[in-house]
């Protein structure tokens, strides 16, 4: 595979193929109770302990809409720059499954709460706009557990009725990389808004991935296959790659693609058929007679809009303008709200340029290595700020600062305490430094003569020796000045 700047093609002996991808992302709404009942949505509860009579579909039970979930969906819609539909309808989507006791899922079909919107991706080749088709609210189903017993399947209804937002993209994505960036951007926006925690391990964010291929230059889309319920970004990328290759092989050997629903086998790295694609009419959608059409006042939408926090794109623009960051730096610093807060906390009291470098390079390496979230960083923002200030005031060199940082990571201690205890303060007394310089030059008199007869490259050698002699504590600027003076003689 290779990339021609914007476009990503799979090249075979015969053709170049383009991949077309559209995502249906299921995002669990952050709310204490379910979409139509008061039971708890907390993750990890004992099976079937968070189930009301509505969730278990007892006859005669009536769903009551949770206004907070509606607010969450509207906020998300606003975050996706989308149209909020003041009039929307809840439909029954009928199908049979053991973990769906009602025999239908309450969802939205023709009249969703959120219409078309736009998400902007930052790709290495520039920004890319991805269209949002719609966002609708729906209930989650329960969970069937097949692997606890060889003869039985167990059903846990704790999840039954939890509110999901289904965010449907237009078929605007063209590569696994773009899908990676899209899902991360959606997650970032929803985390900023506090509408979905985006925790993929707990299933709060998962996607159905629609894939088709077409020859380079072709206008018409090919037939798509839908890969159901992929729950990690890595698996989405792998599934797209393997599914596209499968389709290309079929097409190149003269076969056709059947529109179908497939599953991704993560162990074999291949997709396999699950069922032929169902049509909307198979579900016999109809408006739920237990629920009135949902009417929202524009003033309600406006009031939510006023309360929206600064979102990643706006924050990025502000960081670029105000702090003179590059787009790349701004991007990594705003990608997670926790990181952006950390950065802003550090630069309250420290140099911006040093702060961004220390966070992006040193801190990220530590968090990565220890697999820690920024909120659990062993180095507190105020301590990083204080370390940076020790560099700018000349108290320690950048090199020593790295040593101090390592100790901060292990102990969580304040840098000033470490510098004092370990005696790491930079040596900036010219008289003391001069003594060291003279000694190093005396011990290397042959090299001094070589330097004086023109081998100026040796300057670095002398500096190195002096730093060694001072255990790395000599102020490098002063050392250079003194050294140059002495060598002239
Ligand atoms: P369904 O419920 O049948 O899956 P949706 O409208 O919910 O239909 O979702 C269709 C998804 O498939 C959208 O994300 C859309 O962008 C995507 N899609 C549509 N046509 C194609 C295509 N030819 N190739 C890839 N993706 C497509
Ligand atoms: Mg679908």
């Amino acid at each position: 595979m290779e990339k021609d700047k914007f476009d990503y093609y799979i090249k075979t002996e015969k053709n170049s193929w383009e991949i077309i991808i559209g995502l249906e992302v299921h995002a669990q709404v952050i709310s204490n109770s379910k979409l139509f009942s008061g039971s708890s949505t907390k993750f990890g509860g004992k099976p079937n302990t968070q189930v009301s009579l509505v969730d278990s579909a007892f006859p005669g039970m009536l769903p009551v809409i949770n206004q907070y979930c509606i607010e969450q969906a509207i906020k998300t819609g606003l975050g996706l720059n989308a149209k909020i539909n003041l009039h929307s309808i809840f439909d029954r989507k009928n199908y049979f499954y053991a973990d769906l006791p009602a025999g239908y899922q309450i969802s939205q079909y023709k009249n969703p709460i959120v219409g078309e919107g736009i998400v902007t991706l930052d790709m290495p080749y520039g920004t890319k706009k991805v269209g949002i088709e719609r966002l609708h609210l729906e209930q989650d189903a329960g969970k069937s557990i097949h692997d606890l017993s060889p003869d039985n399947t167990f059903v846990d209804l704790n999840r039954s009725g939890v509110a999901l937002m289904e965010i449907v993209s237009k078929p605007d994505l063209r590569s696994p990389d773009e899908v990676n960036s899209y899902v991360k951007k959606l997650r970032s926006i929803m985390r900023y808004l506090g509408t979905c925690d985006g925790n993929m391990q707990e299933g709060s964010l998962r996607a159905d991935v629609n894939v088709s291929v077409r020859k380079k230059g072709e206008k018409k889309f090919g037939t798509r296959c839908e890969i159901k319920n992929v729950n990690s970004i890595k698996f989405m990328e792998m599934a797209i790659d393997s599914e596209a290759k499968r389709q290309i092989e079929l097409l190149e050997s003269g076969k056709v693609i059947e529109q179908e629903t497939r599953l991704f086998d993560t162990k074999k790295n291949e997709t396999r058929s699950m069922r032929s694609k169902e049509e909307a009419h198979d579900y016999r959608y109809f408006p739920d007679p237990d629920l009135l059409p949902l009417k929202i006042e524009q003033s309600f939408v406006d009031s939510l809009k006023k309360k929206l926090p600064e979102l990643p794109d706006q924050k990025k623009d502000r960081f670029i303008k105000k702090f003179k960051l590059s787009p790349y730096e701004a991007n990594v610093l705003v990608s997670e709200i926790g990181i952006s807060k950390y950065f802003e906390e550090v630069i309250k009291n420290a140099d911006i340029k040093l702060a961004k470098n220390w966070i992006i390079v040193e801190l990220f390496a530590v968090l990565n290595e220890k697999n820690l979230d920024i909120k659990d960083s062993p180095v507190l923002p105020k301590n990083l700020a204080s370390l940076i200030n020790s560099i700018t005031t000349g108290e320690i060199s950048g090199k020593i600062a790295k040593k101090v940082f390592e100790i901060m990571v292990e102990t969580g201690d304040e840098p000033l305490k470490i510098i004092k205890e370990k005696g790491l303060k930079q040596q900036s007394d010219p008289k003391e430094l001069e003594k060291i310089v003279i000694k190093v030059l005396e011990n290397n008199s042959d090299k001094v003569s070589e330097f004086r007869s023109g081998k100026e490259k040796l300057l670095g050698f002398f500096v190195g020796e002096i730093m060694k002699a001072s255990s790395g504590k000599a102020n490098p600027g002063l050392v250079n000045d003194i050294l140059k003076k002495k060598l002239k003689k």
Side-chain angles (χ1 to χ4, degrees), residues 35-36 63 65 70 73 84-93 105-115 134-139 164 166 284-296:
L35 184 53
F36 298 111
I65 188 102
I70 303 290
I84 308 301
N85 293 324
L86 299 181
H87 183 268
S88 70
I89 290 174
F90 285 102
D91 294 285
R92 288 188 183 177
K93 181 180 184 183
Q105 175 192 28
I106 304 179
S107 180
Q108 298 191 299
Y109 177 48
K110 284 198 175 133
N111 300 280
I113 183 163
V114 176
R134 66 171 196 274
L135 175 157
H136 67 250
L137 274 168
E138 63 184 27
Q139 301 173 297
L164 299 180
E166 177 167 334
R284 297 268 182 248
Y285 279 101
F286 66 89
D288 192 309
D290 290 338
L291 290 159
L292 291 169
L294 181 65
K295 290 216 163 99
I296 304 164

Side-chain angles (χ1 to χ4, degrees), residues 400-420:
I400 293 286
K402 291 201 176 148
K403 221 178 187 174
V404 176
F405 185 75
E406 270 174 31
I407 302 171
M408 290 165 74
V409 168
E410 293 316 318
T411 61
D413 278 348
E414 291 171 13
L416 296 182
K417 180 171 169 242
I418 297 168
I419 294 166
K420 197 166 162 211

